[in-house]
Amino acid sequence: MSTLLLIVIFTAIGGILSVLAAGVFLLLPEQKRQSLLPHGISFAIGALLTGAFCGLIPHAFEDVAAEDMQMLSATILIGILLFFVLEKLLVWRHCHSHACEAHGEDSHDDHHGHNHHNDHGRRVAGMFIILGDSIHNFVDGVLIGAAFLTDPQLGIVTSLAVTAHEIPQEVGDFAILLHSGYTRGKALFYNMLASLTTVIGGVLAYFSLGDLHHILPYFLTLAASSFIYIAVADLIPSLHQKTDIKTSLQQIGFILAGVVLILVMQTIAHRFEG
């Protein structure tokens, strides 16, 4: 079997399998999902921040020249500002198409305008998680492709390690998309679509690995900035809506669970890759 065919098969299997495993969450009854959803958001915060600061960013800075480190740091800053401006533009466009509290056009019912604005903000967060996940999956595809070009056995092991690492991340992505107002079918569809960028990354790595190698750290830092922005700007503020001790402790516990699980998955992946 050719190396290119192996890359296509294993990048496709890795992406789809992680989404389907996380999609088990969608099979739960509606009432159960609604009760678990806030915990999923807390878990996603821990997973996103850990993935960015303990996975993507360290890998981006690995084996780069000292002069490139400043550029990579600037890319993270630019990425966060870019996502902020993009969200502002989307909200601004929305407010000029519909009455909303931001422009004072809905004085008759401020509460309704506020809820409508919040719903739109959550949907924007869902769009960002799809974009960030697509970039992250693309980079995973590049890494899997590079491993196959080195040794097919190493490629298979790497693809399995990436799948194991992606499952908890995909669970968090599903929680965010459902929180953003997406139906279960659309959440599954968009996650599956984002997973296909793994195949694109693997194929591009096969044909132009030399060129991609130089820009790979910038893809990693851009994905990291996306995850950081989503967690800090969109998800964490939603946790402050409830301030009682019990809920706060639950939020902290599930954030830590997201942190620990991603770290454990990364440790397992590194051992397999080694």
Short mmCIF file of all heavy atoms in Angstrom, two decimals, residues 48-49 51-53 55-58 60-61 71-84 87 128-129 131-133 135-136 217-234:
data_model
loop_
_atom_site.label_atom_id
_atom_site.label_comp_id
_atom_site.label_asym_id
_atom_site.label_seq_id
_atom_site.Cartn_x
_atom_site.Cartn_y
_atom_site.Cartn_z
N LEU A 48 -9.19 23.49 26.64
CA LEU A 48 -8.72 24.45 25.65
C LEU A 48 -7.45 25.16 26.11
O LEU A 48 -6.47 25.27 25.37
CB LEU A 48 -9.81 25.48 25.36
CG LEU A 48 -11.00 25.00 24.53
CD1 LEU A 48 -12.09 26.06 24.51
CD2 LEU A 48 -10.58 24.67 23.11
N LEU A 49 -7.46 25.64 27.36
CA LEU A 49 -6.30 26.36 27.86
C LEU A 49 -5.08 25.45 28.00
O LEU A 49 -3.95 25.85 27.69
CB LEU A 49 -6.63 27.02 29.21
CG LEU A 49 -7.64 28.17 29.15
CD1 LEU A 49 -7.93 28.70 30.55
CD2 LEU A 49 -7.13 29.30 28.26
N GLY A 51 -4.58 22.66 26.26
CA GLY A 51 -4.14 22.34 24.91
C GLY A 51 -3.31 23.45 24.29
O GLY A 51 -2.34 23.19 23.58
N ALA A 52 -3.70 24.70 24.59
CA ALA A 52 -2.97 25.84 24.03
C ALA A 52 -1.62 26.03 24.70
O ALA A 52 -0.58 26.11 24.03
CB ALA A 52 -3.82 27.11 24.18
N PHE A 53 -1.62 26.10 26.06
CA PHE A 53 -0.40 26.46 26.79
C PHE A 53 0.56 25.29 27.01
O PHE A 53 1.77 25.50 27.15
CB PHE A 53 -0.76 27.09 28.14
CG PHE A 53 -1.31 28.48 28.02
CD1 PHE A 53 -2.65 28.73 28.23
CD2 PHE A 53 -0.49 29.54 27.68
CE1 PHE A 53 -3.17 30.01 28.11
CE2 PHE A 53 -0.99 30.82 27.57
CZ PHE A 53 -2.34 31.07 27.78
N GLY A 55 0.40 22.32 25.03
CA GLY A 55 0.53 21.50 23.85
C GLY A 55 0.96 22.29 22.62
O GLY A 55 2.07 22.15 22.13
N LEU A 56 0.07 23.16 22.14
CA LEU A 56 0.31 23.87 20.89
C LEU A 56 1.48 24.84 20.97
O LEU A 56 2.37 24.84 20.12
CB LEU A 56 -0.96 24.62 20.48
CG LEU A 56 -2.15 23.74 20.09
CD1 LEU A 56 -3.41 24.59 19.94
CD2 LEU A 56 -1.87 22.99 18.80
N ILE A 57 1.49 25.69 22.01
CA ILE A 57 2.53 26.72 22.11
C ILE A 57 3.92 26.11 22.33
O ILE A 57 4.88 26.48 21.63
CB ILE A 57 2.18 27.74 23.20
CG1 ILE A 57 0.94 28.54 22.78
CG2 ILE A 57 3.35 28.68 23.47
CD1 ILE A 57 0.43 29.51 23.83
N PRO A 58 4.09 25.17 23.29
CA PRO A 58 5.43 24.57 23.44
C PRO A 58 5.91 23.89 22.17
O PRO A 58 7.10 23.97 21.82
CB PRO A 58 5.23 23.56 24.58
CG PRO A 58 4.07 24.09 25.36
CD PRO A 58 3.16 24.69 24.33
N ALA A 60 5.08 24.70 19.12
CA ALA A 60 5.41 25.74 18.14
C ALA A 60 6.81 26.31 18.39
O ALA A 60 7.52 26.64 17.44
CB ALA A 60 4.37 26.86 18.20
N PHE A 61 7.19 26.44 19.66
CA PHE A 61 8.49 27.03 20.00
C PHE A 61 9.63 26.01 19.99
O PHE A 61 10.78 26.38 20.20
CB PHE A 61 8.41 27.69 21.38
CG PHE A 61 7.76 29.04 21.36
CD1 PHE A 61 6.38 29.18 21.33
CD2 PHE A 61 8.54 30.19 21.36
CE1 PHE A 61 5.79 30.42 21.32
CE2 PHE A 61 7.95 31.45 21.35
CZ PHE A 61 6.57 31.57 21.31
N MET A 71 8.55 36.49 16.85
CA MET A 71 7.52 36.49 15.81
C MET A 71 6.38 35.55 16.17
O MET A 71 5.21 35.86 15.95
CB MET A 71 8.14 36.08 14.47
CG MET A 71 9.00 37.16 13.83
SD MET A 71 8.03 38.65 13.44
CE MET A 71 6.88 37.98 12.23
N LEU A 72 6.72 34.40 16.74
CA LEU A 72 5.69 33.46 17.14
C LEU A 72 4.84 34.02 18.28
O LEU A 72 3.62 33.87 18.31
CB LEU A 72 6.32 32.13 17.56
CG LEU A 72 6.91 31.28 16.44
CD1 LEU A 72 7.63 30.07 17.01
CD2 LEU A 72 5.82 30.83 15.47
N SER A 73 5.50 34.69 19.24
CA SER A 73 4.76 35.34 20.33
C SER A 73 3.84 36.42 19.78
O SER A 73 2.69 36.56 20.22
CB SER A 73 5.73 35.95 21.34
OG SER A 73 6.54 34.95 21.94
N ALA A 74 4.34 37.17 18.81
CA ALA A 74 3.52 38.21 18.18
C ALA A 74 2.33 37.60 17.45
O ALA A 74 1.24 38.19 17.41
CB ALA A 74 4.37 39.04 17.22
N THR A 75 2.52 36.40 16.88
CA THR A 75 1.43 35.73 16.18
C THR A 75 0.30 35.38 17.14
O THR A 75 -0.89 35.49 16.79
CB THR A 75 1.93 34.45 15.49
OG1 THR A 75 2.99 34.79 14.59
CG2 THR A 75 0.81 33.77 14.71
N ILE A 76 0.65 34.96 18.36
CA ILE A 76 -0.38 34.67 19.37
C ILE A 76 -1.16 35.93 19.69
O ILE A 76 -2.40 35.93 19.74
CB ILE A 76 0.27 34.09 20.65
CG1 ILE A 76 0.98 32.78 20.34
CG2 ILE A 76 -0.79 33.88 21.73
CD1 ILE A 76 1.77 32.23 21.51
N LEU A 77 -0.44 37.05 19.92
CA LEU A 77 -1.10 38.32 20.22
C LEU A 77 -1.97 38.78 19.07
O LEU A 77 -3.14 39.16 19.26
CB LEU A 77 -0.04 39.38 20.53
CG LEU A 77 -0.55 40.82 20.73
CD1 LEU A 77 -1.52 40.89 21.89
CD2 LEU A 77 0.62 41.77 20.93
N ILE A 78 -1.43 38.71 17.85
CA ILE A 78 -2.19 39.13 16.66
C ILE A 78 -3.42 38.25 16.49
O ILE A 78 -4.51 38.73 16.14
CB ILE A 78 -1.29 39.07 15.41
CG1 ILE A 78 -0.21 40.14 15.50
CG2 ILE A 78 -2.12 39.26 14.14
CD1 ILE A 78 0.86 40.03 14.42
N GLY A 79 -3.26 36.95 16.74
CA GLY A 79 -4.39 36.04 16.61
C GLY A 79 -5.53 36.38 17.57
O GLY A 79 -6.70 36.42 17.18
N ILE A 80 -5.19 36.66 18.83
CA ILE A 80 -6.21 37.02 19.82
C ILE A 80 -6.92 38.31 19.41
O ILE A 80 -8.16 38.41 19.46
CB ILE A 80 -5.58 37.16 21.22
CG1 ILE A 80 -5.12 35.78 21.72
CG2 ILE A 80 -6.57 37.78 22.21
CD1 ILE A 80 -4.35 35.83 23.02
N LEU A 81 -6.13 39.32 19.00
CA LEU A 81 -6.72 40.59 18.56
C LEU A 81 -7.57 40.39 17.30
O LEU A 81 -8.63 41.03 17.15
CB LEU A 81 -5.62 41.62 18.30
CG LEU A 81 -4.81 42.06 19.53
CD1 LEU A 81 -3.70 43.01 19.11
CD2 LEU A 81 -5.72 42.72 20.56
N LEU A 82 -7.10 39.53 16.41
CA LEU A 82 -7.85 39.26 15.18
C LEU A 82 -9.21 38.64 15.49
O LEU A 82 -10.22 39.05 14.90
CB LEU A 82 -7.03 38.33 14.28
CG LEU A 82 -7.69 37.89 12.97
CD1 LEU A 82 -7.90 39.10 12.07
CD2 LEU A 82 -6.82 36.86 12.25
N PHE A 83 -9.24 37.66 16.40
CA PHE A 83 -10.50 37.04 16.75
C PHE A 83 -11.43 38.04 17.46
O PHE A 83 -12.65 37.99 17.28
CB PHE A 83 -10.27 35.82 17.63
CG PHE A 83 -9.69 34.65 16.87
CD1 PHE A 83 -8.47 34.10 17.23
CD2 PHE A 83 -10.35 34.12 15.78
CE1 PHE A 83 -7.93 33.04 16.52
CE2 PHE A 83 -9.83 33.06 15.07
CZ PHE A 83 -8.61 32.52 15.44
N PHE A 84 -10.85 38.96 18.25
CA PHE A 84 -11.65 39.99 18.90
C PHE A 84 -12.29 40.91 17.85
O PHE A 84 -13.49 41.20 17.90
CB PHE A 84 -10.79 40.82 19.85
CG PHE A 84 -11.47 42.05 20.38
CD1 PHE A 84 -12.44 41.95 21.36
CD2 PHE A 84 -11.15 43.30 19.86
CE1 PHE A 84 -13.08 43.09 21.84
CE2 PHE A 84 -11.78 44.44 20.33
CZ PHE A 84 -12.76 44.33 21.32
N GLU A 87 -15.00 39.07 15.87
CA GLU A 87 -16.23 38.95 16.63
C GLU A 87 -16.96 40.28 16.70
O GLU A 87 -18.19 40.34 16.58
CB GLU A 87 -15.94 38.44 18.05
CG GLU A 87 -17.21 38.19 18.86
CD GLU A 87 -16.92 37.55 20.19
OE1 GLU A 87 -15.77 37.66 20.67
OE2 GLU A 87 -17.84 36.96 20.78
N PHE A 128 -16.04 30.12 16.12
CA PHE A 128 -14.61 30.17 16.42
C PHE A 128 -14.07 28.79 16.79
O PHE A 128 -12.94 28.45 16.42
CB PHE A 128 -14.34 31.15 17.56
CG PHE A 128 -14.33 32.59 17.13
CD1 PHE A 128 -14.85 33.57 17.95
CD2 PHE A 128 -13.79 32.95 15.91
CE1 PHE A 128 -14.83 34.90 17.55
CE2 PHE A 128 -13.78 34.28 15.50
CZ PHE A 128 -14.30 35.26 16.33
N ILE A 129 -14.86 28.00 17.52
CA ILE A 129 -14.36 26.69 17.92
C ILE A 129 -14.23 25.79 16.70
O ILE A 129 -13.31 24.97 16.60
CB ILE A 129 -15.27 26.03 18.98
CG1 ILE A 129 -14.52 24.89 19.68
CG2 ILE A 129 -16.57 25.51 18.41
CD1 ILE A 129 -13.33 25.32 20.48
N LEU A 131 -13.50 26.90 13.65
CA LEU A 131 -12.30 27.40 12.97
C LEU A 131 -11.03 26.92 13.67
O LEU A 131 -10.11 26.41 13.03
CB LEU A 131 -12.33 28.93 12.93
CG LEU A 131 -11.08 29.63 12.37
CD1 LEU A 131 -10.85 29.21 10.92
CD2 LEU A 131 -11.21 31.14 12.48
N GLY A 132 -10.98 27.09 14.99
CA GLY A 132 -9.80 26.68 15.74
C GLY A 132 -9.57 25.19 15.65
O GLY A 132 -8.43 24.72 15.51
N ASP A 133 -10.65 24.41 15.70
CA ASP A 133 -10.53 22.96 15.62
C ASP A 133 -10.05 22.53 14.24
O ASP A 133 -9.27 21.58 14.10
CB ASP A 133 -11.89 22.31 15.94
CG ASP A 133 -11.77 20.84 16.28
OD1 ASP A 133 -10.74 20.44 16.86
OD2 ASP A 133 -12.69 20.08 15.97
N ILE A 135 -8.08 24.27 12.23
CA ILE A 135 -6.64 24.56 12.17
C ILE A 135 -5.86 23.50 12.94
O ILE A 135 -4.84 22.99 12.47
CB ILE A 135 -6.34 25.97 12.73
CG1 ILE A 135 -7.00 27.03 11.84
CG2 ILE A 135 -4.83 26.21 12.81
CD1 ILE A 135 -6.91 28.43 12.42
N HIS A 136 -6.36 23.18 14.14
CA HIS A 136 -5.68 22.19 14.98
C HIS A 136 -5.64 20.83 14.29
O HIS A 136 -4.60 20.15 14.29
CB HIS A 136 -6.41 22.09 16.32
CG HIS A 136 -5.79 21.13 17.28
ND1 HIS A 136 -4.55 21.35 17.84
CD2 HIS A 136 -6.23 19.95 17.78
CE1 HIS A 136 -4.25 20.34 18.64
NE2 HIS A 136 -5.25 19.48 18.62
N PRO A 217 4.87 26.19 12.75
CA PRO A 217 4.74 26.85 14.06
C PRO A 217 3.71 27.98 14.08
O PRO A 217 3.06 28.21 15.09
CB PRO A 217 6.16 27.39 14.31
CG PRO A 217 7.05 26.50 13.53
CD PRO A 217 6.27 26.18 12.30
N TYR A 218 3.53 28.65 12.95
CA TYR A 218 2.56 29.74 12.89
C TYR A 218 1.12 29.21 12.89
O TYR A 218 0.21 29.84 13.43
CB TYR A 218 2.83 30.63 11.67
CG TYR A 218 4.15 31.36 11.79
CD1 TYR A 218 5.31 30.83 11.24
CD2 TYR A 218 4.23 32.56 12.49
CE1 TYR A 218 6.53 31.48 11.38
CE2 TYR A 218 5.45 33.22 12.62
CZ TYR A 218 6.59 32.67 12.08
OH TYR A 218 7.79 33.32 12.22
N PHE A 219 0.90 28.05 12.27
CA PHE A 219 -0.41 27.41 12.35
C PHE A 219 -0.70 27.00 13.80
O PHE A 219 -1.83 27.14 14.29
CB PHE A 219 -0.46 26.17 11.45
CG PHE A 219 -0.75 26.47 10.02
CD1 PHE A 219 0.25 26.50 9.06
CD2 PHE A 219 -2.05 26.74 9.61
CE1 PHE A 219 0.00 26.77 7.74
CE2 PHE A 219 -2.34 27.02 8.28
CZ PHE A 219 -1.31 27.04 7.34
N LEU A 220 0.31 26.51 14.48
CA LEU A 220 0.14 26.09 15.87
C LEU A 220 -0.21 27.28 16.76
O LEU A 220 -1.12 27.20 17.59
CB LEU A 220 1.41 25.42 16.37
CG LEU A 220 1.77 24.05 15.77
CD1 LEU A 220 3.17 23.64 16.20
CD2 LEU A 220 0.76 23.00 16.19
N THR A 221 0.51 28.40 16.61
CA THR A 221 0.25 29.56 17.47
C THR A 221 -1.09 30.20 17.14
O THR A 221 -1.77 30.72 18.03
CB THR A 221 1.37 30.60 17.33
OG1 THR A 221 1.61 30.88 15.94
CG2 THR A 221 2.66 30.09 17.96
N LEU A 222 -1.51 30.16 15.87
CA LEU A 222 -2.81 30.71 15.50
C LEU A 222 -3.93 29.88 16.12
O LEU A 222 -4.92 30.42 16.63
CB LEU A 222 -2.95 30.76 13.98
CG LEU A 222 -4.23 31.42 13.45
CD1 LEU A 222 -4.29 32.87 13.90
CD2 LEU A 222 -4.28 31.33 11.93
N ALA A 223 -3.77 28.55 16.07
CA ALA A 223 -4.76 27.68 16.71
C ALA A 223 -4.80 27.93 18.21
O ALA A 223 -5.87 27.97 18.83
CB ALA A 223 -4.43 26.22 16.42
N ALA A 224 -3.62 28.11 18.82
CA ALA A 224 -3.55 28.38 20.26
C ALA A 224 -4.26 29.68 20.62
O ALA A 224 -5.00 29.75 21.60
CB ALA A 224 -2.09 28.44 20.72
N SER A 225 -4.06 30.73 19.83
CA SER A 225 -4.71 32.01 20.11
C SER A 225 -6.22 31.89 20.00
O SER A 225 -6.96 32.52 20.76
CB SER A 225 -4.20 33.09 19.15
OG SER A 225 -4.54 32.80 17.81
N SER A 226 -6.69 31.06 19.08
CA SER A 226 -8.12 30.83 18.94
C SER A 226 -8.69 30.17 20.20
O SER A 226 -9.72 30.59 20.73
CB SER A 226 -8.40 29.95 17.72
OG SER A 226 -9.75 29.57 17.66
N PHE A 227 -8.01 29.13 20.68
CA PHE A 227 -8.48 28.42 21.87
C PHE A 227 -8.44 29.33 23.10
O PHE A 227 -9.35 29.30 23.93
CB PHE A 227 -7.62 27.18 22.12
CG PHE A 227 -7.83 26.10 21.08
CD1 PHE A 227 -6.87 25.12 20.88
CD2 PHE A 227 -8.97 26.06 20.31
CE1 PHE A 227 -7.05 24.13 19.93
CE2 PHE A 227 -9.17 25.07 19.36
CZ PHE A 227 -8.20 24.11 19.17
N ILE A 228 -7.39 30.14 23.23
CA ILE A 228 -7.27 31.05 24.37
C ILE A 228 -8.41 32.07 24.35
O ILE A 228 -9.05 32.34 25.38
CB ILE A 228 -5.91 31.77 24.36
CG1 ILE A 228 -4.78 30.76 24.61
CG2 ILE A 228 -5.86 32.87 25.41
CD1 ILE A 228 -3.39 31.32 24.36
N TYR A 229 -8.68 32.64 23.18
CA TYR A 229 -9.73 33.66 23.08
C TYR A 229 -11.10 33.07 23.42
O TYR A 229 -11.88 33.68 24.15
CB TYR A 229 -9.76 34.26 21.67
CG TYR A 229 -10.78 35.36 21.54
CD1 TYR A 229 -10.49 36.65 21.97
CD2 TYR A 229 -12.06 35.09 21.05
CE1 TYR A 229 -11.44 37.66 21.89
CE2 TYR A 229 -13.01 36.09 20.96
CZ TYR A 229 -12.69 37.38 21.38
OH TYR A 229 -13.65 38.36 21.31
N ILE A 230 -11.38 31.89 22.90
CA ILE A 230 -12.68 31.26 23.16
C ILE A 230 -12.87 31.03 24.66
O ILE A 230 -13.90 31.35 25.23
CB ILE A 230 -12.80 29.92 22.41
CG1 ILE A 230 -12.84 30.17 20.90
CG2 ILE A 230 -14.06 29.16 22.84
CD1 ILE A 230 -12.58 28.93 20.09
N ALA A 231 -11.83 30.47 25.30
CA ALA A 231 -11.93 30.14 26.72
C ALA A 231 -12.07 31.39 27.58
O ALA A 231 -12.94 31.47 28.45
CB ALA A 231 -10.71 29.33 27.16
N VAL A 232 -11.24 32.41 27.30
CA VAL A 232 -11.18 33.58 28.17
C VAL A 232 -12.30 34.57 27.88
O VAL A 232 -12.91 35.12 28.81
CB VAL A 232 -9.80 34.27 28.04
CG1 VAL A 232 -9.77 35.58 28.81
CG2 VAL A 232 -8.70 33.35 28.53
N ALA A 233 -12.59 34.80 26.60
CA ALA A 233 -13.55 35.85 26.24
C ALA A 233 -15.00 35.36 26.21
O ALA A 233 -15.91 36.14 26.51
CB ALA A 233 -13.18 36.44 24.87
N ASP A 234 -15.21 34.10 25.86
CA ASP A 234 -16.59 33.62 25.67
C ASP A 234 -17.07 32.65 26.74
O ASP A 234 -18.23 32.72 27.15
CB ASP A 234 -16.73 32.97 24.29
CG ASP A 234 -16.64 33.97 23.16
OD1 ASP A 234 -17.36 34.99 23.22
OD2 ASP A 234 -15.83 33.78 22.24
#
